[in-house]
Amino acid sequence: MANDRYPRNVKLKDGSNVTLRLMTPEDGAAIRAFAAKLAPDDLLFLRIDITSEAGVEEWIANLKKGNNLSILAFDGAELAGYASVNRNSAGWTRRVGEIRINIAPERRGSGLGGILTAEVFDLGRAAGLRKLTAQMTPDQAGARAVFEHLGFQPEALLADWVEDRNGRTRDLLVMSYDLDGFTDRIDEPLKG
């Protein structure tokens, strides 16, 4: 499946290179170091706390169970970003995966997000998924624009569904993409 594609080097639009590879259980320290450099707003709505050892261990446990496939992008020994597709273990949603992407602030705008998104689309299809979802707050305009450019459609707006670290509730936007109708839109350049 995907193992024959990785590791591999890719050139970003800013001229730099990163190495893409599948995440392994040995990547916990790199994930925590990456998280330590993120701004508080970048950590607000992550499903697990990747700044904590327990949170990263939960991610690794899901990886081992096959509920998560993750691609990491390294600049040398430093993690520059990741993308993952996560499945719920409930049988009735086994063909739906949620994608999560996080890019180091200094790498945003380099094209890395688009590359990782294309990779995670391929992983989702290879895993037999039929639909991908992405979740964000409506005020995350940049993230929403990227997903709309890729062809994701809004599915639901859930009022006061999530709570930030300060206890303030926020709406949650759920977007989806039907992989059965997958096109190569992900190869088009992202704007912004």
Side-chain angles (χ1 to χ4, degrees), residues 92-120:
W92 56 296
T93 58
R94 69 185 172 277
R95 298 285 187 181
V96 178
E98 180 187 348
I99 65 173
R100 301 175 195 158
I101 301 167
N102 208 334
I103 307 297
E106 68 274 10
R107 290 300 189 147
R108 294 175 188 164
S110 69
L112 181 56
I115 289 168
L116 287 172
T117 301
E119 296 295 322
V120 85

Side-chain angles (χ1 to χ4, degrees), residues 17-140:
N17 291 297
V18 295
T19 300
L20 302 181
R21 67 172 177 76
L22 293 174
M23 182 177 167
T24 69
E26 290 74 36
D27 290 317
I31 297 289
R32 286 190 303 280
F34 173 82
K37 295 179 181 180
L38 294 175
D41 280 352
D42 292 332
L43 298 167
L44 274 181
F45 301 109
L46 298 181
R47 294 277 183 165
I48 56 172
D49 180 3
I50 62 173
T51 64
S52 75
E53 189 166 342
V56 174
E57 288 301 319
E58 180 182 342
W59 185 352
I60 290 169
N62 283 323
L63 187 74
K64 288 177 181 177
K65 290 178 195 172
N67 293 337
N68 174 300
L69 295 168
S70 297
I71 303 166
L72 306 180
F74 281 93
D75 179 3
E78 188 170 306
L79 185 60
Y82 68 82
S84 64
V85 60
N86 302 274
R87 282 191 287 207
N88 187 321
S89 58
W92 56 296
T93 58
R94 69 185 172 277
R95 298 285 187 181
V96 178
E98 180 187 348
I99 65 173
R100 301 175 195 158
I101 301 167
N102 208 334
I103 307 297
E106 68 274 10
R107 290 300 189 147
R108 294 175 188 164
S110 69
L112 181 56
I115 289 168
L116 287 172
T117 301
E119 296 295 322
V120 85
F121 266 66
D122 287 344
L123 283 181
R125 281 197 330 248
L129 298 178
R130 300 185 72 170
K131 185 177 286 253
L132 292 176
T133 65
Q135 299 181 15
M136 67 211 69
T137 59
D139 60 331
Q140 292 177 295

